[in-house]
Amino acid sequence: MTVWEAIAVVIAGVFAGGINTVVGSGTLVTFPVLLAVGYPPVVANVSNSLGLVPGSLSGAWGYREELKGQSDRVKRLLPASILGGIVGAILLVTLPDKAFTAIVPVLIVIALVLVLIQPWLNRKLAHRRNDNDGGVLLWFGVFAAGVYGGYFGAAQGVLVMGIMGVLVSEHLQRMNALKNVLTAFVNLVAGVLFIFIADVAWLAVLLLAVGSVVGGQIGAKIGRKLPPAVLRGVIVVVGVAAIVQLLTR
């Protein structure tokens, strides 16, 4: 990796850390950058999951005020995220590389659709009020999102927000804080597994970690002030770039 490529990876980490904290889908920034600097798809995905863990934890810390009073939810839903992350990580390393190359473009398209419809979804959810706290459906929904995140994390946060928004009556910012905790642990447990069972590009992990920690704090502090349309536009552009990169390798 050249110096300029290393700088590009750090910058991608900053963007991803901020986007993950505010919206989700930071992987759509970092994954194509790792592909562009020469890493194979599976190695890029594994290293990306590990590298973004510090950024997710940084974003969760930045949203600590919104987490107050949600300890029961965290205790109930965290096992679902952890178990889902383990299952997704195992699927990633047991399925053949060709399966990943074939599946991921489809997952990226789904992620992009989720990102694009998020404003419409948020408007719908903002007026929804339920009398329950999600119950079993919420637990299994978070588990399914964890499987998705352990396999390929792009738009995992958007997926979790959509699931919680449909099933839980809560302010969106508080749900976003909870989302940051859940997705951080999905990436963490998947990353720990990857250390033992997959090839990891440690330089990429380090560079992404540095960038994503900075990005997580930026996202937590000013993310609500950033134009969402701009973030979504960036995500769509890099997502399309990732699809092209995968299909032309």
Side-chain angles (χ1 to χ4, degrees):
M1 189 186 299
T2 67
V3 172
W4 289 112
E5 288 173 337
I7 292 172
V9 172
V10 172
I11 293 173
V14 173
F15 272 96
I19 291 170
N20 278 340
T21 300
V22 179
V23 182
S25 307
T27 291
L28 292 181
V29 176
T30 50
F31 184 68
V33 171
L34 293 180
L35 292 179
V37 300
Y39 290 111
V42 173
V43 174
N45 188 51
V46 166
S47 305
N48 180 75
S49 294
L50 269 171
L52 293 184
V53 169
S56 298
L57 295 174
S58 174
W61 175 253
Y63 267 86
R64 60 191 179 277
E65 288 298 318
E66 286 80 7
L67 280 170
K68 290 181 178 178
Q70 297 200 76
S71 59
D72 287 343
R73 280 190 186 135
V74 172
K75 292 176 183 176
R76 182 162 58 92
L77 296 176
L78 203 53
S81 288
I82 291 173
L83 182 59
I86 292 171
V87 172
I90 291 172
L91 287 176
L92 177 64
V93 297
T94 54
L95 293 176
D97 289 0
K98 290 183 178 179
F100 180 84
T101 305
I103 293 169
V104 165
V106 177
L107 294 181
I108 293 177
V109 170
I110 294 171
L112 293 178
V113 171
L114 287 171
V115 170
L116 288 172
I117 69 172
Q118 190 187 31
W120 172 84
L121 184 62
N122 284 349
R123 286 195 298 271
K124 294 294 183 181
L125 300 180
H127 298 91
R128 187 182 182 94
R129 291 292 181 268
N130 296 325
D131 295 326
N132 58 68
D133 204 31
V136 176
L137 282 178
L138 179 61
W139 198 95
F140 280 102
V142 170
F143 167 76
V147 174
Y148 174 93
Y151 187 81
F152 184 68
Q156 176 193 177
V158 177
L159 186 59
V160 172
M161 285 291 286
I163 292 168
M164 290 194 298
V166 169
L167 297 172
V168 180
S169 176
E170 184 58 274
H171 192 279
L172 286 176
Q173 288 296 340
R174 283 173 59 80
M175 286 195 293
N176 196 41
L178 179 59
K179 174 266 294 181
N180 286 332
V181 173
L182 297 178
T183 56
F185 274 87
V186 169
N187 288 339
L188 178 61
V189 297
V192 170
L193 276 177
F194 292 149
I195 292 174
F196 297 101
I197 61 179
D199 293 327
V200 178
W202 288 107
L203 176 58
V205 170
L206 176 61
L207 295 173
L208 287 177
V210 171
S212 66
V213 167
V214 175
Q217 288 301 300
I218 293 173
K221 289 182 178 179
I222 67 173
R224 292 174 226 172
K225 300 177 183 179
L226 293 177
V230 174
L231 285 176
R232 274 185 287 275
V234 171
I235 292 169
V236 169
V237 169
V238 298
V240 171
I243 293 172
V244 172
Q245 182 79 11
L246 280 169
L247 295 179
T248 57
R249 284 181 72 87

